[in-house]
Amino acid sequence: MFEPLGDKECCGCQACVEVCPKKCLQIGTDEEGFAYPIIVDEKNCIQCNLCNRVCPIKKNKIIPQLFRKAYYGYSTDEGDLLKSSSGGLFAVIAKEYQKKGYYICGATYTNDFKVQHQFVAPDENVEKIFSSKYAQSDVANTFAETKRLLNQHKNVLYSGLPCQIAALKLYLQSTYDGLITIDLLCYGVQSPKVWDYYLNSYHKGKQPKSISMRSKHYSWKRYAMEIEFSDGTKYIKSKNSDPYLRCYSKGLFVRPSCYNCHFKGFPRVSDLTLGDFWEVNELYPNIQSDKGVSIIIPNNERGEDILKNIESSIWYDEIDVKRLKEMNIQYLKPCNENPNRRAFFVGVSKQERFEILAKKYAQNSRIKQVTYGVKKFLYRSGLWENMKPFWNLCKNIVSPKSKRR
Ligand SMILES: Cc1cc2nc3c(=O)[nH]c(=O)nc-3n(C[C@H](O)[C@H](O)[C@H](O)COP(=O)(O)OP(=O)(O)OC[C@H]3O[C@@H](n4cnc5c(N)ncnc54)[C@H](O)[C@@H]3O)c2cc1C
């Protein structure tokens, strides 16, 4: 019999729903728009217990992985780099493995811009999977599809958040040589309802044609929301101006179970982990980072093979693992709940305007506002590149590296 977890535990991976042979479970959404399994047909249950056995929270059995080395790097193809969130490593890997005949699965947008996992066949364009989408992805029937393909001796590269990869592995119930998994460093996943609300209220009456939540129009670090509409107009606002990205950066609509994430730190669940190397210039001041740099962590020999296979298409170097662990606490510990989270969701349910919600709950401090204003001016006047070393020096005097985080 299915034993539901509370909202502080269930990560919404959908493995229990997908595995039930009698379709006794279905996905429903709560008032915040997060997906949870619900029992729809108890009478049909045959007590196989598969639903409980595939749950990555109940069976948090992470296979110990060898974590020896970590790297940082980026794709040498500028086109891919610009279409990706950080160093474009996923783009390089996906293309390389497509050439080897792999089916690639990852998060993309549906026609109405909901976030969903989909498969891309070896001869299809894989670009729709590139770049981060900040709303929880519906894995739909991709676990079953992965199993079907693997059983037909086809190869699959599945990419997702660590909880999704853990769920996939439990769902499959056996290991397959033809499967490669990639997970992301993740601080938490966001409410699909809030994403929907942003698109349909803040951009009311407009029909998006393409969306990037991590546009590098300004730079990698000053990423932007970039939306092209079907009427030919374009919206670009940086993470400090766009209300969705501002609220996102304050963690206002993160899934409750992320505060209790079981997949932080090491060992990791996948063959290879990717993340943003935000601190790159603090460790390596001379690395050119405007277009993005990724952290690359091969978690086992398969992960190391992936890196070897793409060596000629990337620039990369080793990073001191101890320093990496010290630098970014998000790798190791779940995020904290924003005290305004509840009030934010009440605002969404009352359909308060998104810009008002951002003003109320994601206001930057006076000093940050002034800093952003000056930076924007320098950027627009073309002085930014020359002023950058002086800027970083001032930043380090006001807030020394050792005291940050
Ligand atoms: C919700 C979320 C939170 C993240 N949090 C952090 C963080 O705190 N620190 C950090 O260093 N990095 C984080 N990342 C990862 C980071 O944004 C980049 O994805 C990563 O650095 C890889 O970049 P890339 O340029 O190699 O590839 P990209 O092209 O940017 O990555 C593409 C991959 O991301 C997957 N993806 C995109 N959106 C989703 C989604 N909603 N759910 C599941 N998979 C998705 C795609 O399937 C694809 O495989 C997060 C990503 C997401 C989606």
Side-chain angles (χ1 to χ4, degrees):
M1 178 59 68
F2 180 61
E3 294 151 21
L5 294 169
D7 67 347
K8 302 234 165 356
E9 287 288 336
C10 175
C11 63
C13 70
Q14 310 185 24
C16 52
V17 177
E18 277 218 43
V19 83
C20 177
K22 292 289 172 186
K23 304 279 168 251
C24 299
L25 300 174
Q26 237 179 42
I27 278 294
T29 46
D30 72 350
E31 57 184 14
E32 294 180 348
F34 290 109
Y36 292 93
I38 41 175
I39 304 169
V40 285
D41 194 353
E42 209 169 333
K43 286 195 296 301
N44 246 346
C45 175
I46 51 169
Q47 310 291 334
C48 64
N49 203 32
L50 278 174
C51 50
N52 295 311
R53 287 206 337 243
V54 299
C55 172
I57 307 299
K58 293 174 192 161
K59 301 267 166 199
N60 191 5
K61 193 181 69 176
I62 300 177
I63 303 125
Q65 308 262 32
L66 237 48
F67 174 51
R68 288 178 286 226
K69 288 182 176 174
Y71 304 86
Y72 66 108
Y74 50 81
S75 164
T76 49
D77 179 318
E78 193 166 311
D80 284 347
L81 202 50
L82 290 175
K83 285 175 205 140
S84 306
S85 318
S86 58
L89 264 293
F90 177 76
V92 178
I93 298 169
K95 286 181 171 178
E96 180 63 29
Y97 280 81
Q98 265 196 318
K99 273 192 242 155
K100 294 181 192 297
Y102 276 68
Y103 287 75
I104 316 289
C105 186
T108 183
Y109 294 112
T110 58
N111 289 341
D112 53 353
F113 289 93
K114 298 192 182 342
V115 182
Q116 189 184 65
H117 262 61
Q118 286 179 12
F119 267 94
V120 174
D123 56 350
E124 284 174 347
N125 190 337
V126 71
E127 284 181 7
K128 65 176 186 181
I129 296 181
F130 298 175
S131 199
S132 295
K133 288 99 188 163
Y134 292 122
Q136 186 160 27
S137 176
D138 171 10
V139 296
N141 61 346
T142 55
F143 291 172
E145 184 61 7
T146 303
K147 193 166 190 157
R148 193 184 66 77
L149 287 166
L150 291 169
N151 284 338
Q152 288 174 357
H153 305 290
K154 304 227 167 82
N155 294 329
V156 173
L157 188 164
Y158 197 104
S159 151
L161 303 180
C163 48
Q164 293 167 334
I165 301 298
L168 170 72
K169 287 192 168 179
L170 286 164
Y171 175 93
L172 293 173
Q173 288 177 70
S174 49
T175 51
Y176 289 86
D177 285 345
L179 175 68
I180 286 176
T181 53
I182 294 183
D183 78 320
L184 306 170
L185 294 175
C186 170
Y187 94 89
V189 76
Q190 295 71 32
S191 159
K193 176 175 167 178
V194 175
W195 169 237
D196 237 41
Y197 179 58
Y198 165 79
L199 271 187
N200 294 318
S201 62
Y202 192 65
H203 297 290
K204 194 173 172 192
K206 299 280 246 173
Q207 183 55 47
K209 218 168 73 181
S210 72
I211 298 181
S212 169
M213 299 197 200
R214 287 288 301 264
S215 161
K216 294 174 182 171
H217 177 81
Y218 300 110
S219 72
W220 165 50
K221 288 196 180 168
R222 207 175 144 228
Y223 60 86
M225 177 73 76
E226 180 167 345
I227 309 181
E228 267 182 55
F229 295 102
S230 48
D231 61 7
T233 56
K234 206 179 215 185
Y235 167 93
I236 305 180
K237 274 193 184 169
S238 80
K239 61 174 185 163
N240 306 317
S241 314
D242 174 71
Y244 187 82
L245 292 179
R246 271 174 58 194
C247 294
Y248 152 80
S249 70
K250 302 279 180 214
L252 281 163
F253 43 97
V254 168
R255 191 177 174 100
S257 60
C258 298
Y259 305 124
N260 190 22
C261 177
H262 291 232
F263 308 99
K264 288 278 172 177
F266 303 93
R268 308 285 307 178
V269 288
S270 71
D271 297 319
L272 187 104
T273 300
L274 295 173
D276 282 290
F277 194 12
W278 295 124
E279 307 81 3
V280 60
N281 289 125
E282 292 175 19
L283 280 179
Y284 310 103
N286 297 327
I287 296 288
Q288 179 62 38
S289 66
D290 271 8
K291 295 197 177 70
V293 183
S294 293
I295 288 173
I296 315 154
I297 309 171
N299 297 310
N300 53 27
E301 271 158 25
R302 197 169 285 196
E304 282 173 358
D305 281 348
I306 299 174
L307 193 55
K308 272 198 208 103
N309 275 321
I310 58 162
E311 244 171 13
S312 60
S313 308
I314 61 170
W315 177 91
Y316 77 114
D317 203 354
E318 197 174 336
I319 172 180
D320 181 349
V321 173
K322 226 176 103 211
R323 293 291 303 274
L324 178 67
K325 287 184 180 176
E326 280 164 11
M327 293 218 66
N328 195 335
I329 206 74
Q330 286 173 353
Y331 307 148
L332 306 172
K333 284 195 185 149
C335 55
N336 292 323
E337 183 169 342
N338 184 316
N340 289 321
R341 185 183 184 284
R342 200 58 232 134
F344 174 85
F345 272 105
V346 170
V348 171
S349 69
K350 288 185 179 159
Q351 307 210 331
E352 274 187 58
R353 278 170 36 214
F354 218 104
E355 58 273 40
I356 303 289
L357 292 171
K359 205 166 179 183
K360 273 184 166 167
Y361 305 119
Q363 191 68 283
N364 290 316
S365 64
R366 257 276 167 264
I367 182 124
K368 267 201 168 163
Q369 285 179 35
V370 173
T371 319
Y372 291 145
V374 175
K375 222 169 163 179
K376 203 164 159 181
F377 167 75
L378 291 174
Y379 184 84
R380 289 201 170 152
S381 56
L383 295 169
W384 173 242
E385 279 308 313
N386 293 336
M387 294 298 287
K388 209 157 91 178
F390 178 66
W391 181 276
N392 288 337
L393 184 75
C394 295
K395 192 169 137 194
N396 203 32
I397 293 169
V398 177
S399 160
K401 279 175 203 168
S402 54
K403 293 204 175 148
R404 271 181 239 152
R405 280 185 209 277

